[in-house]
Amino acid sequence: MLESITENLTNAIGNITRGKLSEGNIREGMGEVRKALLEADVNYDVAKAFCDRVTEQAVGDKVLKSLKPGEQIVGIVYNELVNLMGPVDHSIAIRRGETSIIMMCGLQGAGKTTTCGKLAKMLMAEGAKPMLVAADLQRPAAIEQLKVIGEQVGVPVYWEEASSSTPVKVCQNAKKAAKQQDCNVIILDTAGRLHIDDSLMKELIQIDNKLMPNQVLLVCDAMTGQDAVNSAKAFNDALELDGVILTKLDGDTRGGAALSVKAVTGVPIKFAGMGEKLDLLEPFHPDRMAQRILG
Ligand code: GDP
């Protein structure tokens, strides 16, 4: 993953820092950096603002007249990459003495149902007692999939017949069931669609208003680049997200989604999906990602 952005970015930075540094060659070289970011599917405005910030710091006398200006420029790029993706608060705000509610949303295929299971597993390891809730009544297969995942993780799954219930009812009843079964967190697996549409958003807003979740998390597929970022913006406009979980970062992603989500939406990536297995969810660390990107 990320091979091409790493190669393009390090080449561009290498071209800047190799020769004698001047304001002119820094500005020229930053054009290459911007190209590398755009090729990695970083949002255009984000790439431009990033390069402007780096340039502004790099062309100052403090850097040009320093002993190792090349190293300083690499440091500036690294810091700006970290700032672009952070800061991140990984906490999931589990409340003592009451049922905490985590609402998971996302487009179909992003990895939402799988990530519900991963999150349940992670919370169990931290001592919580989660319950998964099948709030996607659009696709009967979604309920079955969640049941299988619940069994694999070893957590109860609350579900109702799709034909005789509504997503809000399922979530409300699940809250009661969680109390009875001594679970302190419910994770709502809400419906996804292939594209954002009004009916999807209305359904999610209704659940959000009635259940008042402690956290609303959006699951986004890193492989879809700017589409992931655009969908994050639309979901955040409708729901005020607390965080994004970026899936499939183990795949052949170009890195654009990871680099753009926070800047475009103001919402940090909290966790990253690193594979299909249910233990492959990691806290997202902007500093480690920046290191990885810079090779
Ligand atoms: P949903 O439609 O959003 O609920 O998506 P699913 O949970 O059904 O996941 C869609 C596909 O993506 C499945 O084949 C998952 O195994 C896969 N998937 C989910 N998360 C990851 C991840 O982090 N990495 C990889 N490689 N595959 C993932």
Side-chain angles (χ1 to χ4, degrees), residues 107-114 118 139 145 247-248 250 273-276:
L107 293 179
Q108 200 172 306
K112 183 171 38 61
T113 306
T114 311
K118 290 178 174 179
R139 290 185 311 134
Q145 190 191 353
T247 60
K248 310 185 194 179
D250 54 303
M274 301 303 294
E276 295 193 69

Side-chain angles (χ1 to χ4, degrees), residues 21-271:
L21 278 176
S22 67
E23 182 169 337
N25 65 24
I26 289 175
R27 288 191 188 279
E28 202 175 298
M30 285 309 293
E32 292 295 308
V33 169
R34 186 163 74 173
K35 222 168 98 193
L37 294 174
L38 293 177
E39 273 175 22
D41 212 16
V42 173
N43 170 285
Y44 180 84
D45 293 334
V46 173
K48 184 173 181 311
F50 175 89
C51 290
D52 288 349
R53 282 197 301 276
V54 173
T55 307
E56 195 184 312
Q57 295 166 65
V59 297
D61 270 0
K62 223 172 113 199
V63 172
L64 288 178
K65 291 189 176 152
S66 68
L67 278 178
K68 292 182 173 164
E71 279 179 23
Q72 295 227 15
I73 289 174
V74 175
I76 293 168
V77 172
Y78 169 80
N79 285 337
E80 286 299 330
L81 284 174
V82 176
N83 290 341
L84 199 57
M85 296 180 280
V88 186
D89 169 8
H90 296 116
S91 63
I92 290 278
I94 304 296
R95 290 193 191 153
R96 287 188 190 279
E98 58 182 287
T99 313
S100 297
I101 303 174
I102 303 173
M103 177 173 169
M104 304 282 279
C105 45
L107 293 179
Q108 200 172 306
K112 183 171 38 61
T113 306
T114 311
T115 307
C116 287
K118 290 178 174 179
L119 197 61
K121 203 172 164 72
M122 183 181 266
L123 291 171
M124 272 168 83
E126 292 169 9
K129 288 189 73 179
M131 172 185 266
L132 295 171
V133 182
D136 177 358
L137 304 188
Q138 299 293 323
R139 290 185 311 134
I143 300 178
E144 292 310 311
Q145 190 191 353
L146 196 69
K147 284 191 205 168
V148 171
I149 286 178
E151 202 157 294
Q152 286 170 350
V153 179
V155 295
V157 175
Y158 185 86
W159 62 280
E160 293 181 14
E161 288 297 343
S163 55
S164 56
S165 195
T166 66
V168 168
K169 258 204 245 169
V170 169
C171 296
Q172 287 170 329
N173 291 340
K175 201 175 157 188
K176 290 179 203 148
K179 273 213 172 85
Q180 282 159 7
Q181 295 184 42
D182 207 20
C183 292
N184 60 354
V185 192
I186 57 174
I187 300 173
L188 313 178
D189 183 22
T190 64
R193 304 274 201 290
L194 287 174
H195 299 285
I196 290 166
D197 62 42
D198 277 355
S199 67
L200 167 69
M201 282 308 177
K202 273 192 192 132
E203 180 175 315
L204 297 176
I205 290 168
Q206 225 184 2
I207 296 175
D208 192 22
N209 288 342
K210 297 272 184 200
L211 273 290
M212 297 207 289
N214 306 76
Q215 296 257 303
V216 182
L217 300 176
L218 177 71
V219 179
C220 269
D221 177 348
M223 307 282 285
T224 61
Q226 295 212 38
D227 284 346
V229 178
N230 293 337
S231 71
K233 188 164 177 351
F235 275 96
N236 190 46
D237 289 345
L239 291 169
E240 286 190 38
L241 303 171
D242 294 289
V244 169
I245 300 181
L246 202 58
T247 60
K248 310 185 194 179
L249 260 184
D250 54 303
D252 187 23
T253 167
R254 286 185 286 165
L259 284 168
S260 312
V261 161
K262 169 86 194 307
V264 171
T265 64
V267 181
I269 299 166
K270 282 191 180 237
F271 300 99

